[in-house]
Amino acid sequence: SQLNDCSFGELDVSIDYNVHSDINNGVLEVVISADLETDSRTTIRNAVIAAANAKLGITLPGPFDYVMFLLEGCYVECGWAAYAYVNHWNSVYQGNNYAAVGVQVHELGTSTFILLRHKYPSLCTWKNHAFLTSTSLFL
């Protein structure tokens, strides 16, 4: 995959985790208590984590290195395709933005490639566009 190539083989995203009966092709669907139209994105993210923890019977990240949360859309605090936290295990995508490889590389880069910067210093340069430190989805 592009993520595997960009990380020099250090990161491989797969959907082959089907140990739990509610996970199909790497996807777990949950219903959240937060309101997509009125609650903040932080409240929504926390509701997704709580619902996934309850459904799986674990505390995320559990056995997963990284978790991608896909929201059906964005109704408040929009203007973003996705977001992630530096050196963290999750990223959040709204609408169909999860399907854009550039958005995935950017967000998973925020979470993981920064850790690889010390091992591969050229990975994070502007001349090496594999890291995609910025994305032009909304430009």
Side-chain angles (χ1 to χ4, degrees):
S1 74
Q2 184 66 32
L3 292 166
N4 187 271
D5 291 344
C6 293
S7 67
F8 298 96
E10 298 285 333
L11 176 64
D12 189 29
V13 176
S14 69
I15 60 168
D16 62 357
Y17 186 86
N18 290 315
V19 172
H20 194 281
S21 61
D22 287 326
I23 298 176
N24 296 306
N25 294 320
V27 176
L28 173 72
E29 187 170 337
V30 297
V31 176
I32 60 173
S33 59
D35 188 327
L36 292 177
E37 295 181 1
T38 59
D39 287 329
S40 71
R41 70 183 196 181
T42 300
T43 299
I44 293 167
R45 180 176 134 317
N46 290 339
V48 171
I49 292 170
N53 286 345
K55 196 165 194 176
L56 293 173
I58 63 171
T59 299
L60 288 173
F64 311 106
D65 292 322
Y66 309 101
V67 178
M68 298 168 68
F69 298 124
L70 315 178
L71 304 177
E72 70 178 41
C74 182
Y75 308 98
V76 66
E77 296 179 12
C78 299
W80 52 276
Y83 67 91
Y85 298 95
V86 174
N87 299 333
H88 204 266
W89 57 268
N90 75 57
S91 51
V92 181
Y93 303 78
Q94 60 133 323
N96 63 357
N97 293 305
Y98 71 90
V101 173
V103 175
Q104 289 179 23
V105 170
H106 175 79
E107 298 308 335
L108 291 173
T110 299
S111 300
T112 62
F113 291 158
I114 291 170
L115 298 173
L116 297 172
R117 185 178 197 168
H118 301 291
K119 189 171 182 180
Y120 304 105
S122 65
L123 183 65
C124 299
T125 65
W126 283 104
K127 291 182 181 176
N128 180 349
H129 297 285
F131 180 59
L132 293 175
T133 53
S134 66
T135 181
S136 61
L137 189 64
F138 286 109
L139 297 179

